[in-house]
Amino acid sequence: MMKRTKYLKITDIEKALDLWYEKIDIFADKYISSENIRVKDAYFKTLSKPVYSKRNIPPFSTSAFDGIAVRAQSTYSAREVSPIILELERDFLYINTGDKLLGQFNAVIMIENVEEIDNNHVRIRKGISIGDNVRTIGEDIHKGDVVFYNGEYLTPEHISLLIAAGIRNIDVKRKLKLVFIPTGDEITNDINEKSKILESNSSIVEGYILKWGGEIDIHDCIKDNENNIKRVIEKSLEKYDAIIVGAGSSHGSKDYTSSILNDIGELIVHGTNIRPGKPVILGSVKEKLFIGLPGYPYACDINLKIFIGEIFKRIYNYRENNIIYARLINKVSSKIGEKHYYNTNIIYNKGEFLAYPVKTGSSNLYNGINSTGYFIIDTRDEGMEEGEEVIVFTDKTSYEIKKNLLFVGSNDPLIGELGNKLFEKHRIKMFISNKGSMGGIYAMQKSKCHISGMHLFDPLSETYNISFIKKYLGGKGILLHLANRSQGIIVKKGNPLNIRSIKDIKMKKARYINRQNGAGTRLMFDYLLQESDIKVSDINGYDNVVSKHIDAGYMVKEGFADATIAIKLIADMLDLDFIPIFIENYDLYFSNNFKRDDRFYKIIDILKEDGFGENIIIGGYDTRSIGEIIYEG
C-alpha cells in the first residue's frame, strides 16, 4: 500500500495568515533590495525610501480664480452702499486662474464681484483680506516635506505629484520573481494528448502575478515522482524568490509537496479551515517563500488570491477596490445640482469607522492621493450632517484602516517624521490635521482623534499644557514630551524694519501674519500683547491668519507680511531673520485608553530611536527628553 500524507494540522485562516506574514517579513528583509529608477518608469512600483519634495507646490503664490489682483489693504473700506474705484496698474491687475501674483498684490477679487467702469477702472463693493482667493506658495506641499512614505504603492497620480515636486529619480523595491511548478500524472502541456487533462491553472497564476507586479515563469508539467519534483524545486531556489507548486498539497498517496518541504525547509501550514481550498501548504526554504496550491482550479484560485496576493500586499502595498461604511466626524456642505466627490480619511475609534473629510479641490491632487478614499454627495443634497453614515470608496482593507491614526492639534515638522516612521516600520498611516492646540483638545473631548499635539502656556502657573488638560479634559490622559522649541519674531533677511520686540511690531506698523484661533502660538502672542499693554486693534494684520508655522514664514518671505511669530526652524529653512522671544514645551496627548494600544508603545519606540528627526531639525530644538511621559492622570 502506498503511503498517504496526513495534514500536519488544520490551521485557522487568521492564524495561518499571521504565520505567513512572519515568513514574508523575514524574506523581504533578507532578499528584497532597492533599485534607483526614473520616476516615469515607476508606475505601480513601491517606494523603498521616503521621498522629500524638492519644490514648493505651487512654487509661488497664484490666483485661485479669474479676477483682479489687488492690495487687500486698499479694499478694506469698500461697502455695498459706498463702493470704491480702483485704477488699473496702480490699484489692480487683471489675473487668470493659476497666474503668479506679482509685486505689491496680495489678494484676488473674483471677476464676478468686479464692476467694470471703463478700460482702466473698476468698482468693488466688498473688501477682502490678505491671501483671499490665493493659492499660497507651498499650499499643497512645502519644499522638504515628506511627499510619500517608504512603502507607498505608486499609482499614476503619485507619479504626477512626484514630477511636480521636482523628483526625477526614486528608490523602489525590486520585482518579485516566482516560478509555478505544476505536478501530476494526470496533466499535460500537450494539446494533442487526449487521455490527460490540459494544465490550465498556470494561466490563473501567471495572470494574477503579472497583475500584481511580479515576474513569473511557468515550468513544464512534472509527473508524480518525489525525487524529480524535489530536484526541480531545489534548482529553482537558486533563481527565484518564491516557489509555487501546483497540486500535491492534499493527503493522497502521490501528494509529495509537504514531505519535500519538511525535508528541505520549514512547513508552517498544511491545511486551513477555508472551503473550497482547504489543502494549502505554506512554508519557507532558506527563508525563501514556498507555497503549495491545490490542484482543483477554483481551490487554486482562492488560495492564490489569499496567500500569494498577501505577499504583494505585505511587501509592495498592492491595492484593490473596497467600500467602507463610516460615520461623518464633521458636517460637509455641497450645492444642489452638483454631484460632489469628497476626499476623506477613515479611522477606527471606539468600535466604529469614522470619516474625517479633507480639503477637496480641482488643484489639490496631494490630498486626493493621501486620503483613504472618497464619498459622494448627491445632486439633491446641500450637504451632510455630522454623524451621518457615508459609503466610502477606497482601495484600503478594513484591517489596514483599523491601524490608521488621526493626529489633530498644533503643527510641528517632527509629527510628519513620526508619521513617516510609523508607516515605514509598521504600515500604520497617521493622518495629520493642523487645527491648533485647542483644536486638538476639542477633538479629544469628542473622541474624534487618537493623538493631539499642544504647546499651551498658562500664565498663572507658568507651565505648559497640564492645566489645560485639567480644565478641558478632566485631568485625564497622558502627556508625552516631544521637544522644547525656540519661538520668536521672524522677519525678512536683514530685518529692514529693525524689529526687535513685540512693541516694535506695533510702533512700526508692521504687517503681521497671525495664527488661527486656538493655536498655541496665537494664545502666546495674545499674552505677550497683554504684557506689553498693546491692544489687538493696534496690530496691523492681527486677523490675517494661517494654520502652520511654515505658511507664516512664507507670508513673510513672499512679502505679504513684515513679521510673524514662529519656531526658529522656519527662519533657518527660509533664510529669514529670527529674534528669539521664548522657549516652549511641545507635548503629545493621548487618552488613558490608548495606553493599552500597542501603537502607543510603537510611537514611544520610534521617538526614542537614536537620530530621530535629525534629517529635518536644523536649530531651535531640544529633544533630550523626547518620548518621556511627563503627566498621567
Side-chain angles (χ1 to χ4, degrees):
M1 180 180 290
M2 300 185 74
K3 181 177 70 174
R4 289 183 177 272
T5 302
K6 293 184 178 180
Y7 289 123
L8 178 67
K9 182 182 179 182
I10 296 298
T11 307
D12 178 79
I13 181 63
E14 298 301 328
K15 176 64 175 176
L17 282 169
D18 286 340
L19 293 170
W20 190 226
Y21 291 150
E22 289 180 18
K23 291 299 178 187
I24 294 171
D25 291 345
I26 291 169
F27 158 76
D29 288 343
K30 183 172 182 177
Y31 289 108
I32 297 299
S33 56
S34 296
E35 55 184 0
N36 188 267
I37 63 173
R38 295 190 319 151
V39 166
K40 288 191 175 182
D41 295 329
Y43 293 105
F44 308 111
K45 293 186 182 292
T46 303
L47 288 172
S48 59
K49 293 180 181 178
V51 179
Y52 297 87
S53 182
K54 293 183 178 180
R55 302 186 69 188
N56 293 304
I57 303 177
F60 39 76
S61 294
T62 67
S63 177
F65 299 97
D66 296 337
I68 60 172
V70 298
R71 293 188 308 277
Q73 302 92 315
S74 67
T75 72
Y76 290 161
S77 62
R79 299 289 186 274
E80 184 66 34
V81 294
S82 56
I84 62 173
I85 294 174
L86 304 177
E87 183 178 327
L88 184 64
E89 294 189 357
R90 185 192 71 185
D91 301 318
F92 78 94
L93 289 175
Y94 285 102
I95 195 167
N96 295 320
T97 302
D99 285 352
K100 181 178 180 179
L101 248 65
L102 299 176
Q104 59 185 322
F105 302 113
N106 55 22
V108 172
I109 300 175
M110 291 189 289
I111 197 67
E112 54 264 41
N113 297 325
V114 175
E115 300 173 17
E116 292 187 340
I117 299 173
D118 55 40
N119 289 339
N120 293 306
H121 297 87
V122 298
R123 181 185 294 111
I124 61 169
R125 297 179 180 273
K126 184 179 180 181
I128 59 172
S129 300
I130 292 174
D132 279 1
N133 303 318
V134 172
R135 291 191 69 218
T136 55
I137 181 172
E139 180 175 288
D140 293 349
I141 302 175
H142 289 111
K143 182 179 179 180
D145 281 353
V146 177
V147 185
F148 298 120
Y149 298 143
N150 178 359
E152 290 271 10
Y153 181 75
L154 301 176
T155 66
E157 293 87 352
H158 288 79
I159 301 301
S160 172
L161 196 61
L162 287 168
I163 291 170
I167 311 299
R168 292 296 174 261
N169 286 76
I170 53 174
D171 291 303
V172 298
K173 297 181 179 182
R174 70 162 179 83
K175 278 190 173 185
L176 196 68
K177 297 179 180 179
L178 306 93
V179 63
F180 179 65
I181 304 170
T183 68
D185 292 339
E186 74 281 8
I187 60 173
T188 181
N189 297 118
D190 185 356
I191 196 169
N192 296 313
E193 177 61 71
K194 305 298 184 183
S195 62
K196 294 188 178 183
I197 299 169
L198 282 173
E199 193 286 309
S200 61
N201 284 355
S202 59
S203 300
I204 301 173
V205 174
E206 182 177 27
Y208 277 103
I209 297 300
L210 293 176
K211 176 186 176 183
W212 294 330
E215 295 178 1
I216 179 77
D217 286 336
I218 308 298
H219 199 280
D220 290 336
C221 296
I222 304 176
K223 291 185 177 182
D224 287 322
N225 180 291
E226 185 170 4
N227 290 331
N228 286 345
I229 296 171
K230 181 178 179 181
R231 178 178 52 79
V232 171
I233 290 172
E234 289 179 323
K235 184 69 175 175
S236 297
L237 285 165
E238 299 172 8
K239 182 178 178 181
Y240 299 101
D241 298 308
I243 310 298
I244 309 170
V245 177
S249 64
S250 191
H251 52 89
S253 59
K254 294 184 179 181
D255 289 328
Y256 301 120
T257 307
S258 63
S259 60
I260 292 172
L261 180 55
N262 265 324
D263 188 32
I264 65 173
E266 181 186 2
L267 174 66
I268 60 169
V269 171
H270 187 191
T272 66
N273 62 342
I274 64 171
R275 187 178 295 274
K278 176 179 173 182
V280 67
I281 290 171
L282 303 174
S284 63
V285 183
K286 297 179 181 178
E287 295 176 343
K288 291 190 174 184
L289 301 174
F290 188 103
I291 310 98
L293 294 177
Y296 283 125
Y298 189 56
C300 170
D301 181 58
I302 291 292
N303 281 286
L304 171 76
K305 291 172 181 174
I306 293 174
F307 295 107
I308 300 178
E310 283 301 319
I311 299 174
F312 289 90
K313 291 176 183 177
R314 188 81 172 177
I315 299 176
Y316 299 98
N317 211 20
Y318 177 79
R319 301 273 159 237
E320 292 184 302
N321 293 331
N322 189 20
I323 62 169
I324 296 288
Y325 292 88
R327 187 171 61 81
L328 277 175
I329 287 179
N330 296 325
K331 177 181 178 180
V332 291
S333 60
S334 186
K335 290 183 179 179
I336 290 178
E338 294 182 353
K339 197 166 191 174
H340 200 146
Y341 288 71
Y342 237 108
N343 292 328
T344 188
N345 293 322
I346 306 178
I347 62 170
Y348 189 77
N349 202 16
K350 294 190 174 180
E352 63 179 341
F353 290 109
L354 302 175
Y356 190 89
V358 297
K359 183 178 179 181
T360 303
S362 300
S363 64
N364 202 316
L365 181 61
Y366 182 70
N367 277 352
I369 293 172
N370 282 289
S371 62
T372 309
Y374 66 90
F375 61 90
I376 301 171
I377 301 178
D378 194 75
T379 55
R380 297 167 295 180
D381 297 324
E382 289 185 287
M384 302 186 75
E385 296 295 327
E386 178 181 334
E388 281 195 65
E389 186 178 73
V390 293
I391 300 173
V392 180
F393 299 87
T394 179
D395 59 6
K396 313 296 189 295
T397 66
S398 58
Y399 173 80
E400 291 175 280
I401 291 170
K402 286 182 178 181
K403 294 168 66 176
N404 288 348
L405 291 171
L406 177 60
F407 170 95
V408 179
S410 177
N411 166 251
D412 187 273
L414 285 176
I415 301 303
E417 186 64 9
L418 174 61
N420 173 37
K421 293 297 183 183
L422 281 168
F423 191 79
E424 177 182 321
K425 291 176 175 292
H426 307 293
R427 289 294 183 269
I428 295 171
K429 192 72 175 279
M430 184 170 75
F431 304 115
I432 299 170
S433 178
N434 298 306
K435 297 294 185 182
S437 297
M438 289 304 300
I441 284 180
Y442 297 144
M444 277 291 183
Q445 284 179 335
K446 297 183 177 182
S447 300
K448 289 184 175 181
C449 65
H450 301 98
I451 313 170
S452 178
M454 59 184 71
H455 55 115
L456 294 164
F457 178 69
D458 176 19
L460 294 178
S461 63
E462 296 187 343
T463 61
Y464 278 87
N465 302 324
I466 293 174
S467 63
F468 289 84
I469 292 172
K470 291 178 178 179
K471 181 176 180 180
Y472 294 99
L473 296 167
K476 297 178 181 179
I478 301 162
L479 267 186
L480 200 68
H481 185 61
L482 191 71
N484 292 335
R485 310 187 303 184
S486 177
Q487 285 231 52
I489 303 171
I490 290 180
V491 296
K492 278 209 165 190
K493 194 71 174 177
N495 196 357
L497 296 182
N498 195 28
I499 294 171
R500 299 295 173 190
S501 67
I502 298 295
K503 288 183 178 180
D504 285 342
I505 295 175
K506 172 193 172 183
M507 298 300 294
K508 301 189 178 187
K509 297 182 179 178
R511 295 170 301 155
Y512 186 75
I513 191 73
N514 209 347
R515 302 292 296 282
Q516 77 273 34
N517 277 325
T521 300
R522 177 164 176 155
L523 293 173
M524 175 57 85
F525 183 55
D526 289 346
Y527 168 71
L528 294 173
L529 290 178
Q530 185 178 359
E531 288 292 291
S532 301
D533 198 25
I534 299 173
K535 298 176 182 177
V536 296
S537 58
D538 293 333
I539 300 299
N540 177 16
Y542 180 86
D543 293 325
N544 295 327
V545 301
V546 293
S547 62
K548 295 192 285 188
H549 291 272
I550 187 70
D551 292 332
Y554 270 116
M555 293 295 277
V556 174
K557 180 84 172 177
E558 291 274 286
F560 292 160
D562 299 312
T564 191
I565 288 183
I567 54 177
K568 183 179 184 296
L569 173 65
I570 301 304
D572 293 342
M573 288 173 59
L574 301 181
D575 194 27
L576 299 168
D577 280 2
F578 180 79
I579 300 95
I581 301 293
F582 57 93
I583 302 293
E584 64 176 7
N585 289 9
Y586 183 99
D587 303 317
L588 300 178
Y589 173 84
F590 305 84
S591 70
N592 285 325
N593 288 336
F594 199 73
K595 195 176 181 182
R596 296 192 289 270
D597 192 310
D598 66 347
R599 291 173 295 181
F600 177 73
Y601 299 97
K602 287 180 170 65
I603 289 170
I604 292 177
D605 289 344
I606 289 171
L607 294 179
K608 289 190 172 184
E609 283 181 354
D610 288 341
F612 172 76
E614 283 183 353
N615 60 320
I616 58 171
I617 294 177
I618 302 171
Y621 274 73
D622 178 354
T623 58
R624 285 174 291 182
S625 298
I626 191 169
E628 297 295 329
I629 294 176
I630 59 173
Y631 173 83
E632 193 166 359

